[in-house]
Amino acid sequence: MTLNELLPFFGYSELNSNLAQLLKSAGADIQSLSTRTLRAEGSDAIELKSLGLELAFWEREIYEQKITSPKDAGKAILVAVFAYGPVSKGFKPYLGPIPFSDGPITKREDALREFGTPQETEVDKDIVEWDQWAKDGLQVRATYHDDASLWNLSFSTPFK
């Protein structure tokens, strides 16, 4: 499973049979999302640690308030995918292709080269925590460790 396969499913829910089949092919079950967690916390996730991926789902009402109308009638809406870098506790590094990029991204320098000048950067005590870009209607964020190595890349639907 790759990011390129997942990104077209943003805005779809647990009712989408193609998304369910894609997750099943990676050994995950979209029905494992907890209705209780969605209701109580507003979100839930499916971790694919061996692939270096995490899929974030929002409760429908929150998605409608912060993003837009979902693309189907389900309750758990796919809003973001995280691809983990080489040093991310508990996750193997994501090794698949990276959208909007021609090469691997393992540090900030790579992200800047591949994605260009960020629209937004968060700096704390002279350490860059993350950079963010808008690419083809998606929000792309690279979050870094203190040494500027990649912690994760996130691809998400932008907020209203």
Side-chain angles (χ1 to χ4, degrees), residues 6-41:
L6 288 166
L7 299 186
F9 290 106
F10 283 165
Y12 287 100
S13 76
E14 79 283 359
L15 298 181
N16 185 284
S17 60
N18 291 326
L19 176 57
Q21 187 61 39
L22 181 61
L23 288 170
K24 185 177 181 181
S25 75
D29 182 2
I30 198 163
Q31 299 306 320
S32 68
L33 293 166
S34 167
T35 304
R36 174 183 275 175
T37 301
L38 281 167
R39 197 172 38 249
E41 298 179 21

Side-chain angles (χ1 to χ4, degrees), residues 100-121:
F100 318 112
S101 168
D102 290 326
I105 296 176
T106 59
K107 55 190 175 214
R108 183 171 190 247
E109 178 181 304
D110 299 334
L112 295 175
R113 180 186 67 247
E114 295 297 324
F115 299 137
T117 303
Q119 286 186 317
E120 199 172 336
T121 298

Side-chain angles (χ1 to χ4, degrees), residues 24-148:
K24 185 177 181 181
S25 75
D29 182 2
I30 198 163
Q31 299 306 320
S32 68
L33 293 166
S34 167
T35 304
R36 174 183 275 175
T37 301
L38 281 167
R39 197 172 38 249
E41 298 179 21
S43 66
D44 199 0
I46 294 177
E47 295 180 340
L48 301 167
K49 291 184 176 188
S50 66
L51 298 176
L53 295 170
E54 181 176 8
L55 287 68
F57 292 81
W58 281 6
E59 187 272 330
R60 180 181 191 84
E61 189 174 304
I62 292 172
Y63 187 90
E64 289 174 331
Q65 290 170 1
K66 295 189 176 196
I67 309 288
T68 190
S69 295
K71 296 178 180 175
D72 62 30
K75 303 275 187 217
I77 314 302
L78 181 61
V79 68
V81 177
F82 297 84
Y84 287 89
V87 185
S88 297
K89 189 176 182 178
F91 285 85
K92 288 188 175 182
Y94 171 74
L95 300 176
I98 298 170
F100 318 112
S101 168
D102 290 326
I105 296 176
T106 59
K107 55 190 175 214
R108 183 171 190 247
E109 178 181 304
D110 299 334
L112 295 175
R113 180 186 67 247
E114 295 297 324
F115 299 137
T117 303
Q119 286 186 317
E120 199 172 336
T121 298
E122 177 76 26
V123 179
D124 184 24
K125 298 179 184 174
D126 295 327
I127 296 174
V128 175
E129 293 188 358
W130 53 262
D131 292 310
Q132 185 170 291
W133 301 263
K135 299 285 185 186
D136 286 349
L138 295 176
Q139 178 177 291
V140 178
R141 182 179 285 190
T143 304
Y144 311 106
H145 295 287
D146 288 351
D147 66 357

